[in-house]
């Protein structure tokens, strides 16, 4: 397969026209605090197994995507060590103790540079892969992601990561408003709440793809196998 040509990927609500050289794999917030048993997510009472099921399909996809020589971008949600980019409303919402910025099981919670803020070892970025440190839910808010994508002539995003209804959905909506085509892989995104997983994916593909497309990693791997 020629990298300059497009190929159709089976998806919902209809096939996604994939342009390899214009597409980036965007892996959202696969961070230790969200996915590991001793992290912030587990401390709040969430079942991290619901998110950990996404690790293996993401690892397989990432390996083949890298082998094809395509662009990979990772995101991490977190804040400056002085918390000057943390709105008070976000810090106190949910009335949790401890909260963002406090010391948790893996260092200060959602603070850049702390162990829990970092990406899990199974999906750790290579030196040449960009990491977008974002203070909010969306990957475009208060970051340079849009500039990076424009400079590299990227028009499409294949999106994976967590959580489906929060940071994944927010990023897809931000990307849609900026003109990017987004394909979300349902086995590579996860939520602590199964009902939110279903609803979050349905919102993306509703009304003939109001925000984007939904597929599975096997459909993408079948195409990437022809590129490597």
């Amino acid at each position: 397969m020629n990298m300059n040509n497009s190929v159709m990927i089976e998806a919902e609500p209809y096939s996604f026209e994939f342009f390899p050289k214009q597409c980036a794999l965007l892996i959202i917030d696969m961070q230790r605090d969200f996915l590991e048993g001793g992290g912030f997510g587990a401390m709040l009472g969430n079942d991290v197994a619901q998110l950990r099921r996404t690790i293996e399909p993401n690892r397989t996809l990432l390996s083949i995507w890298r082998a094809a020589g395509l662009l990979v971008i990772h995101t991490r949600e977190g804040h400056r060590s002085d918390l000057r980019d943390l709105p008070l409303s976000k810090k106190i919402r949910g009335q949790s103790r401890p909260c963002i910025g406090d010391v948790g099981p893996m260092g200060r919670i959602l603070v850049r540079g702390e162990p829990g803020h970092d990406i899990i070892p199974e999906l750790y970025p290579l030196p040449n892969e960009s990491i977008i440190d974002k203070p909010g839910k969306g990957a475009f808010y208060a970051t340079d992601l849009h500039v990076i994508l424009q400079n590299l002539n990227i028009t499409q995003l294949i999106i994976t990561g967590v959580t489906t209804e929060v940071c994944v959905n927010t990023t897809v909506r931000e990307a849609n408003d900026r003109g990017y085509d987004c394909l979300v892989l349902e086995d590579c995104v996860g939520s602590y709440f199964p009902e939110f997983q279903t609803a979050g994916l349905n919102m993306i593909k509703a009304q003939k793809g109001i925000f984007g497309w939904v597929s599975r990693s096997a459909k993408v791997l079948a195409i990437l196998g022809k590129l490597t």
Side-chain angles (χ1 to χ4, degrees):
M1 176 183 165
N2 190 323
M3 282 275 202
N4 294 309
N5 295 338
S6 67
V7 62
M8 305 306 292
I9 296 176
E10 185 179 339
E12 295 181 276
Y14 54 89
S15 294
F16 179 82
E17 188 173 9
F18 173 50
F19 293 87
K21 282 195 170 182
Q22 297 170 234
C23 188
L25 175 61
L26 183 62
I27 305 176
I28 296 177
D29 297 0
M30 296 292 281
Q31 295 164 250
R32 296 184 63 199
D33 248 338
F34 300 143
L35 285 105
E36 293 189 1
F40 183 47
M43 187 190 75
L44 294 177
N46 294 305
D47 178 11
V48 297
Q50 296 292 336
L51 303 192
R52 291 192 64 81
R53 65 162 186 80
T54 68
I55 294 175
E56 196 54 41
N58 265 291
R59 180 158 51 182
T60 301
L61 175 65
L62 179 59
S63 176
I64 302 301
W65 191 273
R66 285 168 169 167
L70 300 176
L71 181 66
V72 179
I73 299 176
H74 306 258
T75 76
R76 297 182 295 205
E77 181 180 352
H79 297 275
R80 295 163 48 106
S81 61
D82 60 13
L83 303 183
R84 289 181 178 175
D85 60 349
L86 174 63
L88 179 61
S89 59
K90 181 179 180 181
K91 181 175 176 65
I92 66 175
R93 188 175 299 131
Q95 301 179 328
S96 64
R97 291 291 184 271
C99 58
I100 297 173
D102 294 341
V103 176
M106 295 184 182
R108 295 179 68 201
I109 296 167
L110 293 186
V111 170
R112 296 172 190 171
E114 297 291 327
H117 174 260
D118 213 354
I119 293 168
I120 59 173
E122 296 92 332
L123 301 174
Y124 207 78
L126 296 179
N128 66 330
E129 293 173 354
S130 296
I131 301 174
I132 304 297
D133 280 319
K134 58 189 186 69
K137 308 304 183 191
F140 290 87
Y141 168 68
T143 74
D144 53 6
L145 176 60
H146 186 44
V147 173
I148 291 172
L149 296 176
Q150 286 185 313
N151 288 346
L152 296 175
N153 297 313
I154 297 298
T155 62
Q156 300 181 322
L157 299 171
I158 289 183
I159 296 180
T160 72
V162 299
T163 61
T164 306
E165 75 278 13
V166 183
C167 295
V168 170
N169 247 273
T170 303
T171 297
V172 168
R173 292 170 187 230
E174 289 181 329
N176 176 73
D177 282 345
R178 288 164 175 81
Y180 297 97
D181 287 330
C182 296
L183 174 64
V184 177
L185 303 183
E186 62 178 286
D187 56 321
C188 293
V189 297
S191 170
Y192 294 123
F193 309 99
E195 63 273 26
F196 292 172
Q197 170 82 355
T198 300
L201 293 171
N202 284 341
M203 288 178 186
I204 291 167
K205 65 186 178 181
Q207 300 181 66
K208 296 295 183 180
I210 192 166
F211 294 119
W213 290 256
V214 174
S215 188
R216 297 187 63 83
S217 61
K219 306 297 183 182
V220 177
L221 292 172
I223 301 300
L224 294 178
K226 300 174 184 178
L227 297 176
T228 54

